[in-house]
Amino acid sequence: MSREVLRIENISKNYGKIETLSSLSLVVERGEMVALIGPSGSGKSTLLNLIGHLIAADSGNIYVEGKSIDEFNNRALAKKIGMVRQNLDLVPQLSVINNVLAGKLSDWSFIKSLVSLVFPMEKELALSALRKVGIEDKYTQQTSKLSGGEQQRVALARLLVQNPDIVLADEPVSSLDPARAEDVLSLMSSIAREENKTLVASIHSVEYARKFFTRVVGLRNGRIEFDMPTEKLTERELQILYSLEVG
Ligand SMILES: Nc1ncnc2c1ncn2[C@@H]1O[C@H](COP(=O)(O)OP(=O)(O)OP(=O)(O)O)[C@@H](O)[C@H]1O
Ligand SMILES: [Mg+2]
């Protein structure tokens, strides 16, 4: 069986006159941990949103396990791809456990989903996810009353319940202090490794990219500047990637 899980082929995306991604191609294999780095505005979030099927490309194709992403319905795609966005998409007024169980919504009928908001079903499933991320004791709390780092863990627990093969994360630790950021990243990468998941995350810290990812893709002006195993990354590539001169 092929190890390829994601194939991005000649993807272009423009916003008005701004060319955000320009004929970008990328193949990701199962179990890889890919860090997307690059200056602000280089297209990292746009690329993740395209893979997560939140926006559509102007041209090009995306294949998930060999099948075009357009051929998946929402439920089927949620089994393959899960995403943590920077704003986490949690419902602040709901309890922690209900936010975690929202990871299951794609599996349930609409009515069952609504009922679960009142009486949490599959409680054990949610609790075991919360245990994994270390905040099991908070399950009845209102999510808005948790700290930023704890909310990040709720989003991770929801992802564990969703259990997709491919995890996309857009700056998953940008709002955390360094100790908690390392904690969340190490949790994320150990879960990914144990369960043979594929991880693609945008990240501003080159240090974290080096520490927690196996492959690093440098984006600049909507193009791939380099794509290499993390241990091969040198100061030279970084200087070119982040330099302020045009071209
Ligand atoms: N919805 C939108 N409407 C118009 N322009 C957009 C939109 N989304 C992104 N862009 C533009 O596309 C370019 C790339 O944006 P993107 O958010 O992908 O960058 P990024 O690499 O994630 O940056 P950052 O590191 O700051 O998060 C930017 O020039 C941005 O202004
Ligand atoms: Mg971004």
Side-chain angles (χ1 to χ4, degrees), residues 191-216:
I191 290 168
R193 211 170 322 130
E194 277 163 27
E195 307 197 3
N196 202 24
K197 309 258 180 229
T198 308
L199 182 61
V200 183
S202 73
I203 196 130
H204 267 292
S205 157
V206 173
E207 187 194 334
Y208 293 157
R210 282 205 166 103
K211 198 160 171 185
F212 297 103
F213 293 82
T214 56
R215 175 175 168 192
V216 60

Side-chain angles (χ1 to χ4, degrees), residues 88-101:
L88 303 179
D89 301 320
L90 297 172
V91 185
Q93 60 274 32
L94 286 185
S95 67
V96 165
I97 192 164
N98 277 327
N99 265 302
V100 171
L101 283 171

Side-chain angles (χ1 to χ4, degrees), residues 48-100:
L48 288 169
N49 290 337
L50 282 163
I51 303 171
H53 216 38
L54 299 173
I55 57 174
D58 296 335
S59 59
N61 296 299
I62 297 178
Y63 300 93
V64 179
E65 290 174 358
K67 192 167 136 182
S68 167
I69 199 165
D70 300 321
E71 290 172 31
F72 289 85
N73 63 32
N74 288 346
R75 190 176 293 200
L77 195 63
K79 285 197 200 314
K80 297 287 176 202
I81 299 183
M83 187 159 181
V84 200
R85 291 199 289 170
Q86 203 171 346
N87 63 13
L88 303 179
D89 301 320
L90 297 172
V91 185
Q93 60 274 32
L94 286 185
S95 67
V96 165
I97 192 164
N98 277 327
N99 265 302
V100 171

Side-chain angles (χ1 to χ4, degrees), residues 118-131:
V118 184
F119 184 80
M121 285 180 236
E122 308 200 23
K123 185 174 167 191
E124 204 25 62
L125 180 73
L127 287 182
S128 90
L130 286 166
R131 205 172 302 137

Side-chain angles (χ1 to χ4, degrees), residues 159-175:
L159 201 64
L160 285 175
V161 164
Q162 184 189 340
N163 195 26
D165 296 334
I166 303 166
V167 173
L168 308 175
D170 197 2
E171 294 182 36
V173 296
S174 57
S175 60

